[in-house]
Amino acid sequence: MGKGGENVQQEPKAVAKAAAAVAVAGGAASPLASRSLDELKTLCSQYGVKPTGSREELLARLDPYAKGIAHPFPPPKPLPLAKPDITFAEVRAALPKRLFQRSMVKSFAHLFSDLALIAAIGYAATWIGHEAVPFWARFLLWPAYIFVQGTVFTGVWVLAHECGHQAFSESEAVNNAVGLVCHSALLVPYHSWRITHGKHHNNTGSCENDEVFCPATRSSLKGEMIQESPIVQAFFILVMLTVGWMPGYLIFNATGPPKYNGEAKSHFNPWAKFFDPRDRIGIVVSDIGFFAALGVIAYAVRALGGATVMLYYGAPYMVCNLYLVLITYLQHTDVFMPHFRGDEWSWFRGALCTVDRSFGALIDHTIHHIADTHVCHHLFSKMPFYNAQEATEILREKLGEYYLSDATPIPQALWRSYTCCAFVEDEGSAVFYKSRAD
């Protein structure tokens, strides 16, 4: 990588052609046309392209990134491409040791609180059909119930996620028992997810090895790069949010790395490529937990009826799945987060390739701050969530420009990410998403 992060990717020949076209047009069509020459040079340096040449050449090089940079809801400054001048050991030393202490009592208190809240919300929903409630009000109350209950379901999912990272308590046996029960209840194969999620944490930000949301490359799209209409893009966002987790990720490992193409890659398959032979017993146990939960649901359908089970459990479960995809997608996909290859990638640099986002104080609290303290979580995955907010304030100061946070409202951030992050180049040791071909 060049000094200060510049010139980290080869300039494709297509850019030179685009520069000539921009020169002819005078650059007026570019979303960045109003930027000064110095601003364009700064942007080039930030996105790893040559910061020298004429204004038209700079606009041409930035054109594949321009849609994101000039978005109506502008992204934060990109993660610097220069290697951090601080080490992981120095970052850890800045945090008080007490923040790493795991309390079984605190964790169970949060879990029981969530379960009690789920029971209370479910009981309250039984009154929606009461004769005293106006018929029209049911069309408001049921969606409200589904959203609120689904949000609390997500909180339980996050506590099981804590178990997968061994952050719930000091006891591995307790962590895995609680994680297995809670995730099975939410139709997640616990150990299967735990293993691949751990590999994601070990390879975050890697173009070759990240286990989830691995960026598509120019060549992998094979001519499919088209400027789709907003309606089509909105449709595919909806598809991603509804089936992206199940079956998309759990069965097909969608958005996983190309190295698994043509291999078995279902999270329910003990012989899947991403599992080692020693993992197989855990996968079988996870499958048993999953199908046991399905059996309970089937019994409930027989006893209570499909519509009742769908309203009270199925619809909130879908909301929970939507949260999972939305949160994780936005944590690792946006125009200001680079991906690295080869020797440019390191665990520490990769762990910094994520961002903190707030869903609002109430939702952040309900989902146990999985979104607004995610940088801390990637650096210190065994730190319990209830200490992550304090740690994040220290990290914000200690990491400086290497700490990413985005205040863009969630719907606009999702739209910006989906419409501006189509692919990365096949070559280059540090690459950012592009919205379209040069």
Side-chain angles (χ1 to χ4, degrees):
M1 183 173 69
K3 201 171 189 177
E6 297 177 5
N7 305 325
V8 296
Q9 65 183 55
Q10 296 285 328
E11 184 179 43
K13 293 180 179 179
V15 173
K17 295 180 181 179
V22 172
V24 172
S30 171
L32 301 176
S34 63
R35 305 293 179 97
S36 69
L37 184 60
D38 286 341
E39 288 177 312
L40 295 178
K41 290 180 178 179
T42 298
L43 287 170
C44 284
S45 296
Q46 290 174 344
Y47 281 86
V49 297
K50 294 179 182 178
T52 58
S54 68
R55 177 182 179 82
E56 289 74 22
E57 289 173 325
L58 300 185
L59 286 171
R61 295 188 191 114
L62 289 170
D63 190 53
Y65 312 101
K67 185 178 178 181
I69 295 171
H71 196 271
F73 286 85
K77 182 180 176 182
L79 186 76
L81 291 177
K83 292 182 178 180
D85 55 4
I86 186 173
T87 66
F88 174 71
E90 291 170 333
V91 174
R92 184 182 175 92
L95 300 174
K97 291 183 179 179
R98 60 180 172 79
L99 296 182
F100 295 92
Q101 296 175 357
R102 298 165 287 176
S103 169
M104 187 183 301
V105 173
K106 284 185 179 179
S107 295
F108 269 115
H110 284 285
L111 177 58
F112 291 150
S113 175
D114 282 356
L115 295 177
L117 187 56
I118 287 171
I121 295 170
Y123 174 74
T126 64
W127 292 89
I128 294 177
H130 193 275
E131 60 183 13
V133 177
F135 183 77
W136 60 265
R138 300 176 190 181
F139 294 96
L140 300 177
L141 293 175
W142 275 119
Y145 161 78
I146 291 167
F147 173 76
V148 173
Q149 190 74 296
T151 303
V152 183
F153 276 18
T154 307
V156 174
W157 199 102
V158 172
L159 292 179
H161 164 269
E162 290 274 291
C163 293
H165 285 290
Q166 305 301 314
F168 189 85
S169 75
E170 299 284 344
S171 169
E172 182 177 357
V174 169
N175 293 338
N176 287 338
V178 172
L180 178 64
V181 171
C182 291
H183 264 177
S184 295
L186 293 169
L187 300 181
V188 178
Y190 169 71
H191 287 293
S192 309
W193 163 84
R194 175 184 61 78
I195 292 165
T196 58
H197 187 67
K199 291 183 177 182
H200 158 63
H201 271 257
N202 290 338
N203 296 282
T204 307
S206 168
C207 287
E208 301 98 341
N209 297 313
D210 197 344
E211 287 288 316
V212 63
F213 293 119
C214 195
T217 59
R218 177 190 290 269
S219 62
S220 70
L221 295 181
K222 298 177 181 177
E224 296 175 10
M225 287 179 287
I226 57 173
Q227 291 298 298
E228 297 168 334
S229 71
I231 293 177
V232 173
Q233 290 172 323
F235 171 76
F236 282 111
I237 288 175
L238 180 62
V239 170
M240 178 182 74
L241 295 178
T242 52
V243 299
W245 172 252
M246 171 66 90
Y249 178 64
L250 290 181
I251 295 180
F252 301 111
N253 200 42
T255 71
K259 65 182 181 180
Y260 297 141
N261 290 347
E263 305 284 352
K265 51 185 179 179
S266 168
H267 280 71
F268 298 94
N269 185 350
W271 285 269
K273 183 66 175 179
F274 36 65
F275 298 136
D276 295 327
R278 67 177 182 271
D279 298 327
R280 288 172 185 163
I281 293 177
I283 309 309
V284 171
V285 170
S286 299
D287 289 350
I288 292 172
F290 176 88
F291 287 105
L294 278 184
V296 172
I297 293 170
Y299 177 80
V301 169
R302 182 176 180 181
L304 303 172
T308 298
V309 174
M310 185 62 192
L311 275 175
Y312 282 90
Y313 174 83
Y317 163 77
M318 291 299 297
V319 170
C320 177
N321 286 359
L322 183 149
Y323 267 115
L324 300 181
V325 176
L326 176 61
I327 291 170
T328 54
Y329 178 77
L330 288 180
Q331 283 166 347
H332 301 290
T333 310
D334 213 324
V335 297
F336 55 87
M337 285 183 279
H339 283 74
F340 298 103
R341 290 191 178 98
D343 293 339
E344 282 302 320
W345 181 88
S346 69
W347 177 86
F348 183 40
R349 294 185 83 186
L352 295 174
C353 293
T354 188
V355 60
D356 287 351
R357 301 182 190 274
S358 174
F359 280 66
L362 183 57
I363 292 180
D364 287 345
H365 172 78
T366 305
I367 62 176
H368 303 301
H369 299 282
I370 190 63
D372 62 316
T373 63
H374 201 68
V375 173
C376 175
H377 173 65
H378 262 272
L379 291 172
F380 308 105
S381 60
K382 281 191 176 181
M383 179 185 289
F385 79 89
Y386 42 78
N387 292 335
Q389 285 178 285
E390 181 179 349
T392 293
E393 293 307 310
I394 298 172
L395 292 175
R396 188 191 307 271
E397 180 177 352
K398 191 70 177 176
L399 291 172
E401 61 183 350
Y402 288 91
Y403 167 78
L404 292 180
S405 148
D406 185 16
T408 305
I410 298 300
Q412 287 85 350
L414 175 61
W415 185 255
R416 183 184 66 210
S417 296
Y418 194 86
T419 59
C420 299
C421 297
F423 69 98
V424 299
E425 291 294 345
D426 292 87
E427 298 180 349
S429 55
V431 290
F432 286 89
Y433 274 108
K434 292 183 175 182
S435 62
R436 63 180 181 81
D438 301 309

